[in-house]
Every structure is written in C-alpha cells, then in structure tokens.
Amino acid sequence: MEFRSRKTRRAVVVAVMALPIALTGCSSGKIDSGDGLRTLTIDKTFDLKTADPGRQYEPTGQLVGKALYQTLLTFEGTDVTEVVPGLATLEQSDDATTFTLTLTGSPKFSDDSAMTADDVVFSLQRVIGMKGNPSFLLAGVTVKKTDDKTVVLTTDKPTPALPAILANPALGIVNSKVVKAHGGTTTEADAAEKYLNTHSAGSGPYVLDSLNLSSKVVLKANENYTGDEPAFGRVVIQNVEGATQKINVEGGSADVALDLSGTQAKGLGSSVDVTSGPSANVIFLLLNQNKKISTITSNPDFVKAVKSAIDYDDLVELAGAGTSRAAGVIPSALLGALDVADAPKLDLTAAKAALAKSDYDGESVTLNFPSDLTLNGLEFPTIAQRIQSQLKAVGIKVDLAPAAVATELDAYREGKEIMGLWYWGPDYPDPSDYLVFTPGDVVGLRSGWAKGADETVSALATKAAAGGSDEERKANFEELQKALNESGPFIPLVQPGNNIAASSDITNVGYNPVWTVDIATLGSK
Amino acid sequence: MTSLLLMVGVTLANLVPGDPVAAALGQRAAEDPATVARFTAEYGLDKPLPAQYVSYVGNLIQGDLGVSTTTHNSVTSDLGEALPATIEIAIGAIVLSVIIGVSLGTIAAYRRGRTADHVLRLVSLAGLSVPTFWLALVAYYVLYFKLHIAPASGRLSSDFNAPPQVTGLYTVDSLIAGQLDTFLDAAWHLMLPVLVLTLYTVGLLTRFVRTAVLEVLDQDYVRAARAKGLPARTIVTSYVLRGASIPVLTVVGLAFGSLLSGTVLVESVFSWPGIGSYAYQAASHLDLPGVMGVGLTIGLVYLLVNLAVDLLYGFLDPRVRLA
C-alpha cells in the first residue's frame, strides 16, 4: 500500500504512536484467583464429546467428570480392586440383586443446596432413560428411594459388578432441580446437555468454568465442596498432541502430560517425573472361527500355531516403558487377572508342529487393524507389522489390511475380519466386563464364536457370572481365562504402558484405569 | 461452482465406508437398535441421498450447516468459533509471506544467474519441500524448548482468559476490550504458527515473483526507464513491481486459500483450535455435517479471496477496468 499524501502518512504515524498511550490504564485479561492457589495445567489428547456426566463415556470425559461430580461409591487412589464408600455406604444382598445405598455426611451441590435421595434417583434414572452411551451400565437396574437418605437398586439378575459400576463418573450425582430447570428429564427427551456443557451441576471438588470440546476445559475450585479443599484453585485441561505434550511438560508450560508413549517417556529431564505402569487396556489378536469367513483361522491347530509363533516378549519391548505382557483378556489391575506364567508362550517347535497338523498350505491370511489407532502412544500398524514378521518365521503368510478406525470398526463389529488386531479397555473395573469374550457374547460373536461353540468355556462363564465372594470370583475368572487361552480364538498380547509425566513439584500422581488421574488429589510441593 | 462443491461433498461424505451413527453414539449405545433408529432419524440419515442433498441445500440457504454429530452444536456456531483462529494465523502468514517473498523474489530476479539467485532458489525450494508438520515440531522444539524465545502451544497462556468475543481474533478482541497484556500474549502465541506457515508460502511466492519480475525486466518500458536514467528504486517500485503485480496477486490469493486448508497439521502441533483441528476431529469421528461445513467454508473463502483478487486487478492495472 502506498500512502498518497503526506497528511495520511502523518495520521498513521500519530495513530501508531498514540496506541501505547491510549492503552495505558487498560484492564488486564490475566486471571487472578486471589486465593493464592496456583493454576494446574494438564495436557491431554482429547476424545471429549460432552461434559454432561450422563452422556459422557470417553477417557477425557471421565477425567473431567470425576472432578465435577461425586459418585455414590468410588475407588481409593489407583486401586480398583476394592470399591469404597463415596457419597453413600452400601449394603448388598447375598444374591447380588439388591443394593441399598445410604447417603452419608451432608454433601452440598455447588449452588450450596443440600443433596437428597431425590437427586440420586433422578441422576441414575436420567442415565438409564436418556439412552446415551453410558446407559448400558445400568441396564436392568431399577432405582427407588425408600427415605430421604436411602436409595435401593434392584437388578433382574445377579450383578456383582454393580458396586464397581457405580464408581463410574458417568453415574455422578447431579443437582436435580437445576438440571430439570434446564430441560433435564429421565427420558430420551432430555435436553440438559447444552446447559451442562457450559455449567456444572454437581457436588465435586471443581465446577466447570469453560468448555471447548476441541481445545480446552477450564475448571475452578468449588467453594461449597464439603470434602478436602483441592490444592489447585484453577485447572486447565488442554488438547495437545503427544509429541507437543512432551515438549510442554519438559519446558514447564504444562504440569502434567497424560499421553506420552513409552518411547517419549524415556529421557525426560530431571524436572519431570514419570509414573509408568501397565494400562488397563489389553491388545489382542482374534482369529475368526466362522468357517464362512475363513476355513484357515477356524482350524484349531492353526489357532494353536499362531499362539505359539508369537514372540510376546518382543512385543513388550516394542511397546516401551510401562508395558507388560497380557496374560489373559483381563488386565493385571483387575480382580481375576492371570499370572504371566499362565499366558500363551512362544514355542516355535510347537507352532510348526501345529501348523503341519492344520490344513494350512501357505496361502495368505488377511490381518485387519485400525491404521490410525494409537493406544497409550503405541501405534497399531507397528504391532501388526511385527506380528506379520513373527508369523512369517514359522511359514504363515500374513497380508496386512489397515483401514481408518472409523471404517474398520464396522467390519470388526460385524464379525467379518479373518484376523483382527484390537484392544479392550474395561467399561468398569470388574472381571464380569470380560464375559463379552465368551461364545455368543459381543466380542465372541465378532470373532465368529457363536453360542454353543465351546461348551466348556460357556459353562465356566456362567459360573463366573453368578457372583460370590471375591475369592470365589477370582478363582472362577482365572479358570475361565485359562480355558479361553487354551481353546479360544483370542490371543492376548500386551497391556501397553500408561505414562504420566508430571513436573517434579506435583505430588500424588497415580494412574486410575477409570478416570486416569484424580485431579482433586494432586498436590504441589 | 458452489453447487458442484455441494453435490460432490454430500455424495462423498455419504460414500465413506463407515457408520457415522456408530461413531457418533459410541460403541455401547450403537448396540441398541432403538437408539440407533432415533439418532438416524434425528440427523436425517434414514432419507435417500437425493433427499438429504435437497434438505441440506434448503437448510444451507438459510445459513444452517446442520448439527455436528460430535459436538451436538450447530456447525455454523462451531465454525464461527474455529474460523477466526485460523484466519488470524493465515492473515499473519500471508502478510509476512508477501513482504518477504516479494523482496526475495525481486532480489533473485535482479541477481539472475548469480550466487544470490542460486541460494534464494534453493531456499525457496526447501521451503516448499519440507513437510510443514516436521517443520512445526522442529520450530517448536528449538524456539520454545531450547531457546525460550517462543511461547508454549495454544492461543493464550493458561493464566489468561479469552477476551470477550467480537471478531474472534484474539489480538483484535483484546485491543477492543482494552486488555493490553492479553493482546501481547495473543500476538506472542501467533509467532510460531505464523512463522512455520510463512516459510512454506515464502518459498512459493519467491519463485513466482522471480519469474514475474524477470518477465517484466525484459519489457521495453523498463528498458526505456533505465535509458532515461531513472533511479533504480523508482524503476523497481513504479515499473517492475507494478508490472509483476497481477500474476503475483493471483498467487497470493491462491496461497491464502491453501493456507486455510493446509493448517490441519500445523494446528495440531501448536494445539491451535482452528478449522484445521475441527476438520481433523470431524473426519475422525465421521461427523459428516462438520466435514461438509469445513469444506464449504474453505470453498467459500477461496471464492471470496479470488473475487477480491479479481477486483484488485482493476485497481492495479487500469487496462483491466477498460476491458
């Protein structure tokens, strides 16, 4: 641009020079919490869809939901093997069909109103009636109030997992008056989500300050929280890609990074501490048992050959820090998990012998997997390539068939994959969530394992589903998994590591499979 | 043009081999046939493709881009939030690119065949060839982490609140609100993404400007100006650059459009909540209204920028007006 007259040029110069003067005495956009509590910044790769507790069911949603809403029962720290009282105490019938919950203490919502049994009934009935993603958690559950402090849940069949389910942030208790006033109902007509994406209506340690589903969630301390005051007055959870998270936490602009891969977690500076351990996700291989899909993978000897041909230790090493061998489909953090000694083992001689007994004559077997899925920093294409080369060593030719997860999921759900590489993360931390791997159940059907395909496994599944004491359940689920490892179409591979990198002045960092990190319990040195 | 874009978009979006309902509802809810049926009807996915097209166009005429199946917000309002973030870095990058690219291209043309020309051609080739995602990561690592001269990712530091929204451009809105510290922080955060996008566009512009200037330098009127003994500065600004401005302007218009559509990976590295990030999120969740909304918006911006470029031709060259 050319300033044609001296007058114009002079006006621009004066305007530019006057700008700082005009801005003197400007207001400030910087946050001043005024209470001396510092801001905690958490980097997370978002899969956030909503802040409505009754509709969220993604890891980021659970992280946020745990901070905003309290649940009737909960877990202490990182231990998910034992359910402890939250807002209520629990009495359970021997047959695991009646659960009496009694509100304890005097919990208050963030608007200073007291929580009652009506709020509990509304919250749970809303989750059931809305038919959102977490509604399945309370399928077959009836909720009734018996007095102002007591709610009774009854189930149509024994549900020993219900206490663990009730600890899920999706079942957080909402302020029924507020939610109803903004369109909340216990039916599919519920319209409170928009409100709950801009305001929270819970009794948790934090309230929602602002939410942008694709970039940032800001929380601030709930002044009316009746529990211990959180160490951080303001929390910013921001959507950051893995490689950037590493740089941010090392550079000090983020206090906590939640999505570092095993490789990224190595070699971080001394100002950062890494908490590594196996996640609750189990990556497994499935071989379709439906003869119409594949006559090769449905051959039991071929399945045995593949189980014996995989170098599991090599996969653990490939996945990096925190990764552990998956001994069965149930991850190590849960009741009933198998010892590594019971896991399928690499045995090339046995693999070759089983392959010789099968009808396999060197044809290609297709391995489908999600090309864009990264789990705890571990990329599925990398595992698929390694499996391809391991199976090649015993003479099994594998063709890799990657596809975007959004499209490959359809083939997986419809049971059309010949070989598939997938993972299962617990819907709730109870072994009964893994009954889906048995014949005729959800994941069983995805591998062409129809009802009645394996009577031994089905009988063990029925026994495990019946409930009992923790010891009995532990024994039953271990027995079931040993049978699954022996004759099932699933090959548990690894539990990828979960790596939480936090600035060394952040204390009490620990991984919980349900909500990743309890923000309110994080402290500062 | 717009109709074609719409038809291709709606058709392609519906040919994607995936189930948008399952992606939107999540694994468990998608197993309930009643819930799936309700969602399918709510988003009009049960209608035949031509009916969906007609319905989409009907809504579009009223400024309605549909409802995102990921965020459950109207796509228009989602884009209203995301687009200014991208526009802010695109404007910054294009302004810087024009200044640097025109200067370097002119120098390269004047030094044709000499060392400076060879170096600048190599630099521009490198700018065009280096993957922006890699460049963004390296720039972030070096300038933020190692040298501490650039800020962390995002549009603002975590201890700042976004200024009250007027334009959606944080630098402008913070000035309107009189928040100087927010303005400085927002401007500081613009630095890295703008720099990375600039490096790519500078490469493109330098090459085009060099070619355009070389063509003008061979023109009789430039030779005549030299023969008259006019100062070199006058020849460059009043004759050469003016003569080369039309092809350069065309490239600037195209570069601006490609900046908008090419920010996906850069926005991902810098956690920049623009339409690139929105498009990535929408595509990975099979959010067809979201994907369509981004596609149409970028198409519309292309059209508007090209229209502006066409109008500017008339200001730069009176012969265009007469024609």
Side-chain angles (χ1 to χ4, degrees):
Chain A
M1 187 188 287
E2 192 178 327
F3 296 119
R4 292 209 173 272
S5 71
R6 196 174 285 179
K7 209 172 172 182
T8 317
R9 204 179 308 167
R10 194 165 52 210
V12 170
V13 171
V14 168
V16 170
M17 288 180 71
L19 191 65
I21 301 163
L23 292 171
T24 309
C26 287
S27 61
S28 172
K30 204 165 185 174
I31 288 121
D32 177 18
S33 57
D35 51 9
L37 298 177
R38 65 177 264 210
T39 296
L40 176 77
T41 307
I42 299 174
D43 280 4
K44 172 97 186 81
T45 306
F46 275 21
D47 50 6
L48 190 61
K49 287 185 172 180
T50 177
D52 181 341
R55 293 185 187 273
Q56 56 87 5
Y57 204 64
E58 297 72 40
T60 314
Q62 308 264 39
L63 174 76
V64 172
K66 173 68 181 165
L68 300 177
Y69 298 92
Q70 286 181 288
T71 47
L72 294 167
L73 303 174
T74 188
F75 296 109
E76 193 75 52
T78 58
D79 179 11
V80 292
T81 57
E82 192 185 350
V83 182
V84 298
L87 288 166
T89 54
L90 169 73
E91 270 183 53
Q92 180 180 329
S93 67
D94 291 340
D95 61 355
T97 57
T98 306
F99 302 82
T100 306
L101 294 140
T102 309
L103 287 174
T104 56
S106 308
K108 282 182 173 182
F109 289 111
S110 53
D111 66 355
D112 202 26
S113 61
M115 183 187 293
T116 67
D118 291 325
D119 295 303
V120 175
V121 172
F122 174 78
S123 301
L124 301 186
Q125 286 183 341
R126 179 171 177 262
V127 173
I128 298 168
M130 283 192 308
K131 302 271 173 70
N133 210 18
S135 295
F136 80 97
L137 291 171
L138 295 180
V141 176
T142 307
V143 186
K144 274 186 184 153
K145 164 188 157 180
T146 52
D147 62 50
D148 280 350
K149 289 279 180 190
T150 315
V151 172
V152 176
L153 307 187
T154 48
T155 58
D156 47 12
K157 59 181 180 188
T159 314
L162 191 59
I165 291 172
L166 288 171
N168 196 298
L171 306 182
I173 306 305
V174 299
N175 186 330
S176 60
K177 286 192 187 77
V178 172
V179 173
K180 280 177 188 169
H182 292 90
T185 67
T186 55
T187 67
E188 290 179 55
D190 176 88
E193 186 184 6
K194 267 193 190 308
Y195 175 79
L196 293 170
N197 276 343
T198 48
H199 308 76
S200 51
S203 61
Y206 288 95
V207 292
L208 186 66
D209 187 44
S210 67
L211 172 102
N212 181 314
L213 292 175
S214 60
S215 63
K216 194 192 272 188
V217 182
V218 181
L219 314 175
K220 59 182 182 186
N222 174 8
E223 289 172 4
N224 292 308
Y225 180 53
T226 51
D228 295 336
E229 185 187 14
F232 300 94
R234 184 168 174 270
V235 179
V236 176
I237 307 164
Q238 51 194 16
N239 186 10
V240 179
E241 182 263 337
T244 313
Q245 282 188 24
K246 176 178 170 147
I247 301 174
N248 281 355
V249 77
E250 275 198 289
S253 67
D255 297 299
V256 182
L258 294 176
D259 300 292
L260 296 193
S261 67
T263 320
Q264 287 166 336
K266 281 182 188 167
L268 287 166
S270 58
S271 62
V272 179
D273 291 335
V274 180
T275 309
S276 289
S279 68
N281 298 312
V282 169
I283 297 178
F284 63 89
L285 200 62
L286 72 82
L287 284 84
N288 206 307
Q289 298 303 292
N290 184 345
K291 285 191 167 51
K292 286 179 187 163
I293 299 293
S294 170
T295 50
I296 305 168
T297 57
S298 57
N299 183 311
D301 286 315
F302 183 82
V303 178
K304 269 184 196 166
V306 175
K307 277 180 187 168
S308 304
I310 291 175
D311 186 343
Y312 302 95
D313 293 335
D314 181 48
L315 294 178
V316 171
E317 198 180 320
L318 173 76
T323 304
S324 74
R325 173 84 172 84
V329 289
I330 299 178
S332 54
L334 270 59
L335 182 84
L338 280 182
D339 191 83
V340 177
D342 297 315
K345 290 178 183 67
L346 168 70
D347 184 341
L348 291 178
T349 313
K352 284 175 185 165
L355 196 62
K357 275 172 70 183
S358 72
D359 296 330
Y360 182 69
D361 60 1
E363 61 267 55
S364 288
V365 185
T366 306
L367 171 58
N368 295 81
F369 58 94
S371 57
D372 53 348
L373 186 62
T374 301
L375 188 69
N376 302 104
L378 181 59
E379 291 167 350
F380 273 56
T382 312
I383 315 169
Q385 284 160 10
R386 191 59 66 93
I387 287 171
Q388 183 189 40
S389 82
Q390 289 177 355
L391 295 185
K392 191 181 174 189
V394 292
I396 299 172
K397 192 179 170 199
V398 173
D399 279 348
L400 299 183
V405 63
T407 57
E408 191 55 44
L409 259 176
D410 285 351
Y412 169 49
R413 285 175 181 154
E414 289 164 19
K416 288 179 181 169
E417 293 180 337
I418 294 172
M419 278 175 84
L421 182 68
W422 288 96
Y423 82 99
W424 187 266
D427 294 310
Y428 44 86
D430 187 273
S432 55
D433 190 40
Y434 291 82
L435 292 169
V436 289
F437 284 88
T438 57
D441 215 318
V442 177
V443 188
L445 290 172
R446 289 173 184 175
S447 61
W449 219 21
K451 193 173 182 183
D454 191 323
E455 293 298 350
T456 310
V457 170
S458 293
L460 290 170
T462 308
K463 191 175 157 194
S469 69
D470 278 358
E471 287 72 25
E472 286 166 341
R473 297 185 75 215
K474 183 175 183 292
N476 290 341
F477 276 102
E478 283 176 355
E479 199 181 353
L480 170 63
Q481 283 185 98
K482 283 176 189 167
L484 268 174
N485 283 353
E486 181 60 31
S487 62
F490 306 103
I491 307 176
L493 302 172
V494 291
Q495 280 178 243
N498 183 279
N499 300 292
I500 302 174
S503 166
S504 48
D505 66 336
I506 302 292
T507 57
N508 213 17
V509 179
Y511 165 71
N512 182 295
V514 185
W515 46 74
T516 312
V517 161
D518 186 352
I519 297 169
T521 60
L522 294 177
S524 171
K525 280 179 190 166
Chain B
M1 170 73 182
T2 314
S3 322
L4 186 69
L5 191 67
L6 267 173
M7 282 183 79
V8 172
V10 172
T11 310
L12 284 182
N14 282 278
L15 286 178
V16 171
D19 183 359
V21 180
L25 283 176
Q27 195 160 331
R28 290 300 197 155
E31 279 161 18
D32 177 18
T35 307
V36 171
R38 179 175 56 83
F39 185 92
T40 308
E42 192 179 324
Y43 284 85
L45 296 168
D46 52 345
K47 294 178 192 158
L49 195 56
Q52 286 187 44
Y53 175 74
V54 171
S55 159
Y56 191 86
V57 172
N59 290 334
L60 188 64
I61 290 167
Q62 299 164 54
D64 179 4
L65 285 164
V67 175
S68 159
T69 56
T70 314
T71 65
H72 304 296
N73 293 328
S74 84
V75 174
T76 317
S77 74
D78 278 350
L79 289 175
E81 223 172 285
L83 188 61
T86 302
I87 292 277
E88 201 165 26
I89 47 173
I91 288 176
I94 206 74
V95 169
L96 209 56
S97 303
V98 169
I99 294 169
I100 300 172
V102 169
S103 310
L104 295 184
T106 311
I107 292 169
Y110 266 85
R111 297 276 184 272
R112 178 171 34 174
R114 295 187 203 166
T115 313
D117 181 28
H118 295 313
V119 170
L120 287 173
R121 281 162 69 188
L122 268 177
V123 169
S124 66
L125 185 67
L128 280 172
S129 316
V130 172
T132 45
F133 179 71
W134 179 82
L135 187 67
L137 266 177
V138 170
Y140 191 54
Y141 180 75
V142 174
L143 299 178
Y144 159 69
F145 183 63
K146 284 289 176 191
L147 302 176
H148 312 294
I149 54 173
S153 55
R155 291 183 81 184
L156 282 173
S157 302
S158 60
D159 51 354
F160 277 89
N161 269 338
Q165 183 159 355
V166 181
T167 63
L169 309 175
Y170 281 5
T171 43
V172 177
D173 289 353
S174 53
L175 284 179
I176 292 172
Q179 296 171 346
L180 182 60
D181 51 0
T182 311
F183 166 78
L184 293 173
D185 195 65
W188 195 39
H189 278 78
L190 273 171
M191 185 172 82
L192 270 179
V194 164
L195 189 69
V196 170
L197 287 174
T198 299
L199 282 174
Y200 172 79
T201 320
V202 157
L204 187 76
L205 278 176
T206 303
R207 291 170 76 85
F208 262 91
V209 171
R210 179 182 178 275
T211 311
V213 168
L214 280 177
E215 268 181 33
V216 177
L217 284 176
D218 288 338
Q219 298 292 317
D220 289 342
Y221 66 89
V222 176
R223 272 200 286 269
R226 277 182 179 150
K228 279 201 295 184
L230 285 175
R233 187 176 161 225
T234 313
I235 294 174
V236 172
T237 53
S238 304
Y239 290 76
V240 178
L241 286 182
R242 189 149 192 177
S245 60
I246 297 278
V248 170
L249 187 65
T250 310
V251 179
V252 170
L254 291 172
F256 187 78
S258 68
L259 272 179
L260 286 183
S261 53
T263 55
V264 176
L265 295 175
V266 173
E267 288 187 0
S268 164
V269 171
F270 295 116
S271 312
W272 199 263
I275 54 168
S277 301
Y278 186 76
Y280 176 78
Q281 190 190 27
S284 53
H285 287 95
L286 287 183
D287 177 0
L288 305 185
V291 172
M292 280 296 297
V294 173
L296 280 176
T297 305
I298 291 174
L300 185 68
V301 173
Y302 254 114
L303 289 177
L304 290 175
V305 168
N306 277 303
L307 177 69
V309 165
D310 285 347
L311 293 174
L312 280 172
Y313 285 165
F315 286 101
L316 292 169
D317 187 349
R319 288 172 301 176
V320 176
R321 265 177 285 171
L322 290 172

